[in-house]
Structures are given as C-alpha cells and as structure tokens.
Amino acid sequence: MLLRHKALFQTCLLLLLYGLFALACTRHERQVRRGMYYWKTNVTLSREEQAFLKQYHCQELYVRFFDVDLDPNTGRIVPVAPARIDITDTALNIVPVVFITPSAIAQLDPKDIAVLAQNITGLLQRKCTEAGIVPKEIQIDCDWTVTTRETYFNLLHHLKQEAFFTGKKLSVTIRLHQVKYIVKSGIPPADKGLLMCYNMGRLRNIKEENSILNVAAAQQYLDNLEHYPLPLDVALPVFHWSVLFEKEQYKGILRDIDIDRLQDKSLFQPQTAHTFTVVKDTFWNGFELKKGQWIRYENSPAEDVQKLATFVAEHIPNDSLKVLLYHLDQQNLKNYTPDELEKIFTRF
C-alpha cells in the first residue's frame, strides 16, 4: 500500500512539473500590427511600394510630415521642409511624424515653446486636411538628452493641450540610451513610445564599424527593457548608407548607394570589405568627392536584424504592439529576400 501511494505521488509530481514546464514554455500570443516608416519628401506610393505593403500585411504607415529646425534667416525654431503628401490607400492607418532636430531642441528658448507648439499643430492640421487624413496617433521624433529634457518635455505638454491633439495618441521615439539611462533621461509625457532599434553607434567616429546596427551593443542597452514604464512599439532597420570622411573628420552621408557601386576601382580603392578610399576628384552620383576621402559602407544585415528582433521580442512586456521597418524604399528592400523580411516580423 505504501509503495502504491509513493508511486502515485511520484506520478502526480511528474505531471505537475511537466505542466509547469509546458506553461513556462508556452509563448503568450501577442497582437502585432505591422507597418513601415516612409521618410521621403514626396509621399506618393508607387505600385511596388503598395504591393510590398499588401504582401507583408502592413497596416501602419508612419510618414514624416515635416521637420522642426532653426530658420537661419530669422533665428527662430520653426517647422521646415514639409513633405508633399498624396496617399490614396484608405486602408492604411497613416501616422504623421514630426522630426525635431537635436540642435533645434537645444536652442529652443523656453519662452517660445507655446508658440512653437501652436505652429507645429497648425501645420499638422493643415497637412492632414489637405491629404484627407484623420490620424489616430501623432508621433514626435526627437533625440533628447539630459540637458534638453526639460525643454522637450515642456513642448510635449503644450502639444497635448492643443485642440487638434484631443482624442489622438501622442507617441514619441525612444532611443536605446534613453532606456538604459532611464533615470537621467526621464520618461516623456506621452501615451506611448516607439523603440528605435537602429542608429545606435557613433556615426561621426571614423573608428566605428557600423553605426546603424550592433546587436551586442543593443542588448547591453536594453537589459532593463521590460521595466520601461511606457508601452512601446518597435522599429527595426532595413536600410543602408555610406558615410564620408575627410582627414578623419565626418563630412556627411551618401545615400542610395549600394556596395556594388563602390567596387569601381577607377574611383575607389578598397581598404576592407566595407571601407574605401577615393582615388581621384570626381562628381559621382550627385556627390562631389575628393581624392583621399574615405567612405564607410553601413547596412542592416538580415541575420542581425532578426537576432535583435528576437531579443527585443523576448524582453518587451507588451501584449500588443506595432512592429515597423525603416523604411519603405525599393533601393533598401531589394537587398532582402521575402523570407528574410517575413522572419523579422514573425519574431514577435
């Protein structure tokens, strides 16, 4: 009898342990909405771009409406460079994005914050009306720091008080350093954040290997991601660019140039697999290049993007979120297979 009870107890214990193990291994099913950033001056979706959105079941399109920067003529911080928007796909949820340059928020006088909030709101409302867009969410993109935090947060408070923002979610972009150094960075007064999982390196440093994406560095920055108090969406990179240096000083970004075009040995001398020296003065692809300048090609390898997506998916606590790719452009997307892109989305 004692042996029978002992065997029964062991069986029940094993079943209990198995059940707990199975429960622990069961992944909670998230609600994920897919989307893309669209970061161009002329916002008109080509047939290829429309087909891409349908193929990957993208419901969200985050569109840069305009920037906020210093007007050199007046010395004031104002909305600049508005996009021309012509989107007829009514099935898409369009989210207007306003990009505030770091220099603008650093130079913004506190007494001008209320007026700037009104100017931003006025242009947003006008652009939405012209495009026939009734947004449910508006996003402010600004890389604030400890020194600009108070000014930026004050601007967000003023925006939320504008009538146009009533009934709309205010989202803000969150950089990796703002997650890691949460106490110093503070929590922006917004309804939600969007975690930017790219542009994490030192772009202007000639010794940087890839400022767009570094999985190991990102993991170190996001080790306390599950404790971030704002609900977060996620954006991952699917783009490339080349960074130009002269005498080890940063000169700018060369966009829309595939690495294949840097293989022209009449113009470029390879130094490594991703770095090149300009061998003669030339006007090339719209850029004026000088002999002796140095180019670093940077990209977002699919395997690395998928690896980072897996890490973020395991550490972000949301039951629902949006997963975006940056950004919708054929020159970028042609470097990925359909399977590679699909796997980025399905990591969540």
Side-chain angles (χ1 to χ4, degrees):
M1 181 68 68
L2 184 60
L3 290 174
R4 187 183 303 169
H5 284 299
K6 183 177 181 181
L8 181 62
F9 173 79
Q10 290 175 336
T11 301
C12 292
L13 181 60
L14 287 172
L15 288 172
L16 176 62
L17 291 173
Y18 177 81
L20 291 172
F21 177 79
L23 182 64
C25 293
T26 300
R27 177 181 169 182
H28 183 70
E29 194 68 26
R30 281 198 182 102
Q31 292 182 342
V32 177
R33 289 177 63 89
R34 301 180 178 189
M36 299 289 296
Y37 269 104
Y38 199 91
W39 214 258
K40 299 180 182 180
T41 302
N42 294 312
V43 185
T44 302
L45 297 179
S46 66
R47 289 183 179 180
E48 293 78 11
E49 290 166 344
Q50 293 179 47
F52 178 92
L53 293 171
K54 291 179 180 178
Q55 179 179 355
Y56 293 96
H57 310 290
C58 294
Q59 302 166 288
E60 308 282 336
L61 193 64
Y62 281 60
V63 178
R64 186 198 73 87
F65 269 45
F66 54 86
D67 300 342
V68 172
D69 206 352
L70 177 70
D71 183 342
N73 297 318
T74 65
R76 297 175 57 214
I77 307 299
V78 294
V80 297
R84 291 184 287 273
I85 301 168
D86 182 17
I87 299 177
T88 57
D89 189 344
T90 56
L92 284 170
N93 180 40
I94 307 297
V95 178
V97 182
V98 177
F99 173 65
I100 303 176
T101 67
S103 59
I105 201 66
Q107 298 177 70
L108 179 59
D109 192 314
K111 66 180 175 58
D112 295 330
I113 289 176
V115 173
L116 178 59
Q118 293 169 5
N119 291 339
I120 290 173
T121 304
L123 184 53
L124 269 173
Q125 188 166 7
R126 186 164 72 251
K127 299 293 289 184
C128 286
T129 300
E130 292 172 353
I133 296 169
V134 182
K136 301 175 183 176
E137 174 187 344
I138 296 169
Q139 183 174 95
I140 307 298
D141 179 13
C142 180
D143 186 8
W144 83 91
T145 63
V146 174
T147 55
T148 59
R149 180 181 71 179
E150 184 176 350
T151 300
Y152 178 51
F153 289 7
N154 196 1
L155 175 61
L156 293 176
H157 277 299
H158 277 80
L159 287 172
K160 292 180 73 174
Q161 293 171 6
E162 293 290 327
F164 183 67
F165 281 77
T166 301
K168 300 176 179 65
K169 285 190 175 182
L170 175 63
S171 69
V172 294
T173 50
I174 306 292
R175 270 70 174 178
L176 303 192
H177 68 89
Q178 292 154 354
V179 174
K180 184 174 181 65
Y181 304 110
I182 187 171
V183 175
K184 290 195 299 183
S185 298
I187 309 300
D191 299 305
K192 60 190 301 190
L194 186 138
L195 180 66
M196 288 178 53
C197 297
Y198 52 90
N199 294 356
M200 57 190 69
R202 300 165 298 172
L203 173 71
R204 297 169 181 265
N205 190 320
I206 196 169
K207 295 181 180 180
E208 181 71 65
E209 292 185 6
N210 188 345
S211 67
I212 295 175
L213 181 60
N214 183 320
V215 176
Q219 290 174 340
Q220 293 177 359
Y221 272 94
L222 298 175
D223 56 2
N224 64 341
L225 177 60
E226 58 266 31
H227 302 303
Y228 198 80
L230 278 181
L232 293 175
D233 296 322
V234 178
L236 294 150
V238 286
F239 70 95
H240 64 272
W241 59 31
S242 295
V243 189
L244 181 66
F245 293 88
E246 183 177 342
K247 296 179 181 179
E248 299 193 359
Q249 298 298 311
Y250 169 82
K251 299 296 290 184
I253 293 176
L254 313 179
R255 301 183 187 274
D256 301 326
I257 297 175
D258 290 325
I259 195 168
D260 292 344
R261 304 191 64 183
L262 294 169
Q263 306 302 324
D264 184 350
K265 293 188 178 179
S266 69
L267 297 176
F268 309 107
Q269 177 64 43
Q271 301 300 317
T272 68
H274 291 87
T275 59
F276 306 84
T277 300
V278 180
V279 298
K280 66 179 181 181
D281 293 353
T282 184
F283 189 78
W284 178 78
N285 202 55
F287 301 103
E288 184 179 0
L289 302 179
K290 299 178 182 178
K291 181 179 179 180
Q293 288 181 327
W294 193 80
I295 296 174
R296 180 179 70 222
Y297 175 81
E298 300 184 350
N299 65 344
S300 314
E303 184 178 352
D304 288 348
V305 180
Q306 292 166 10
K307 186 175 180 180
L308 182 54
T310 299
F311 178 86
V312 173
E314 291 173 348
H315 290 79
I316 200 164
N318 304 38
D319 290 331
S320 63
L321 79 164
K322 299 177 184 179
V323 177
L324 309 181
L325 302 183
Y326 181 93
H327 68 115
L328 185 58
D329 179 85
Q330 288 304 307
Q331 289 297 317
N332 292 325
L333 298 173
K334 71 179 184 180
N335 296 315
Y336 303 89
T337 67
D339 183 62
E340 288 172 339
L341 292 169
E342 182 66 22
K343 283 182 177 177
I344 297 173
F345 284 120
T346 56
R347 288 296 187 266
F348 293 87

